[in-house]
Amino acid sequence: MKLTPENYYSQEANEYYMSVSQYKDFLKCEAAALAKVKGEYQDIKKDALLLGSYVHAALESEEAFDLFKSDNAEIYTAKKELKAPYKMANKMIDSVLSDDLCNIVLEGDKEVILTAELFGIPWKAKLDVLNRWNGRFTDIKTVKGIRDKYWNGQRYVSFIQQYQYDVQMSVYAEIERLSGVENPDYLEPTILAVSKEDVPDKEIIYFDTELIQEKLREVSGNIGRVMSVKRGDEQPVGCGKCDYCKSRKKLDGMTYYLDLLEAI
Ligand SMILES: [Zn+2]
């Protein structure tokens, strides 16, 4: 299947290809992930996602930004003024574009679609910025706070680990390496992070080859189960906590008050 900007997010493309976001969906909740692949369930387009897309479009090109603004009337009030979150997003964009190093990592081809076979299955990826000449690719992330800590059940982690952006960067590096260009080495993955704060913070975050190899081993260990559920060979297990599971929840008993904080 040939991918284009138009069909990249289509159901057909999601059925044929694995992607990092699909993989992460399956690890979070197999039942919801499978329903999403089959087109039976859709995540609600959250405001945070639209804000992220606004910033992405602005950092991609003037044409992409103009197109985004004309396609998404909901970013304006009835008086045709930009809504408050997007005024904040403009500060984020200015903060990035006024920085020399940010401008350097934003140089390159934008929104590049790549495909490759990893672990015996076809994968797709869309890289925000690909610059093979400089040996680097960059993903833009809009985050609440760049140095925020998240409790993962065992220890505090950064937003990178919390949202598995380390997995994303590693898989993207491997897809790029395998995607047809003669390049035996990994490009350097970087994340350009900008925060949604009144005064936006920013960082360019880089990763090393050991991390890439470690995360690829992790994906390789999980992908068998993911694919057997996706192919229908094994039954999906619901997490019991996500919006999809809640929407289908049927009670089969009562809960003792002291059990409410127990893990499901
Ligand atoms: Zn669930």
Side-chain angles (χ1 to χ4, degrees):
M1 181 186 176
K2 176 104 180 84
L3 287 180
T4 63
E6 288 71 37
N7 72 11
Y8 184 83
Y9 293 110
S10 67
Q11 191 189 332
E12 195 191 356
N14 289 336
E15 279 175 10
Y16 186 84
Y17 289 101
M18 179 55 61
S19 66
V20 172
S21 56
Q22 194 183 123
Y23 166 80
K24 289 198 291 189
D25 283 348
F26 271 97
L27 292 202
K28 255 185 276 164
C29 178
E30 292 174 350
L34 190 65
K36 241 167 112 174
V37 170
K38 287 181 172 172
E40 297 163 0
Y41 172 68
Q42 246 187 333
D43 282 343
I44 307 147
K45 201 179 183 187
K46 299 256 166 65
D47 290 344
L49 278 182
L50 195 64
L51 190 128
S53 308
Y54 179 90
V55 174
H56 268 76
L59 298 181
E60 186 187 337
S61 67
E62 253 176 64
E63 300 79 59
F65 197 32
D66 287 343
L67 187 67
F68 181 90
K69 287 189 281 191
S70 59
D71 280 352
N72 292 280
E74 64 265 49
I75 64 173
Y76 297 104
T77 63
K79 288 181 185 166
K80 297 268 175 271
E81 268 182 30
L82 208 52
K83 286 181 186 167
Y86 300 96
K87 285 184 183 161
M88 179 192 74
N90 281 347
K91 283 195 215 168
M92 298 163 73
I93 295 160
D94 291 344
S95 163
V96 168
L97 291 180
S98 64
D99 183 272
D100 290 343
L101 200 53
C102 288
N103 278 294
I104 290 174
V105 299
L106 285 172
E107 272 170 27
D109 298 325
K110 307 285 171 73
E111 301 282 315
V112 181
I113 293 171
L114 297 178
T115 58
E117 194 179 298
L118 263 73
F119 320 113
I121 53 164
W123 287 67
K124 60 173 177 153
K126 198 194 255 184
L127 278 59
D128 287 342
V129 185
L130 174 60
N131 194 329
R132 286 181 167 132
W133 184 255
N134 286 334
R136 176 193 318 119
F137 68 89
T138 304
D139 207 77
I140 301 157
K141 301 289 185 202
T142 52
V143 299
K144 200 156 70 63
I146 292 176
R147 290 166 199 280
D148 284 359
K149 289 175 184 170
Y150 299 84
W151 182 252
N152 77 352
Q154 285 153 341
R155 64 195 170 98
Y156 283 107
V157 294
S158 74
F159 79 95
I160 299 281
Q161 293 126 321
Q162 175 69 10
Y163 298 110
Q164 295 195 287
Y165 293 145
D166 46 2
V167 174
Q168 182 195 349
M169 291 296 106
S170 305
V171 171
Y172 280 19
E174 181 72 340
I175 291 176
E176 191 286 327
R177 191 178 70 84
L178 296 171
S179 62
V181 175
E182 283 180 41
N183 177 21
D185 296 321
Y186 291 117
L187 299 187
E188 182 178 46
T190 56
I191 284 181
L192 168 51
V194 54
S195 74
K196 300 177 221 178
E197 294 168 301
D198 285 339
V199 180
D201 193 9
K202 54 184 174 286
E203 291 290 349
I204 298 164
I205 301 153
Y206 67 96
F207 302 83
D208 48 51
T209 308
E210 288 74 46
L211 185 269
I212 296 175
Q213 287 161 346
E214 182 196 321
K215 289 294 150 190
L216 288 174
R217 277 196 297 275
E218 190 183 301
V219 177
S220 144
N222 292 330
I223 201 68
R225 165 73 190 170
V226 167
M227 284 312 292
S228 17
V229 174
K230 186 177 176 182
R231 290 191 181 116
D233 298 339
E234 288 182 62
Q235 285 300 308
V237 175
C239 70
K241 292 175 280 186
C242 73
D243 286 348
Y244 176 78
C245 288
K246 281 191 288 179
S247 74
R248 302 170 60 89
K249 183 170 171 177
K250 297 271 183 286
L251 297 182
D252 54 11
M254 297 190 278
T255 298
Y256 183 57
Y257 78 106
L258 283 179
D259 291 341
L260 282 174
L261 295 187
E262 296 291 309
I264 293 178

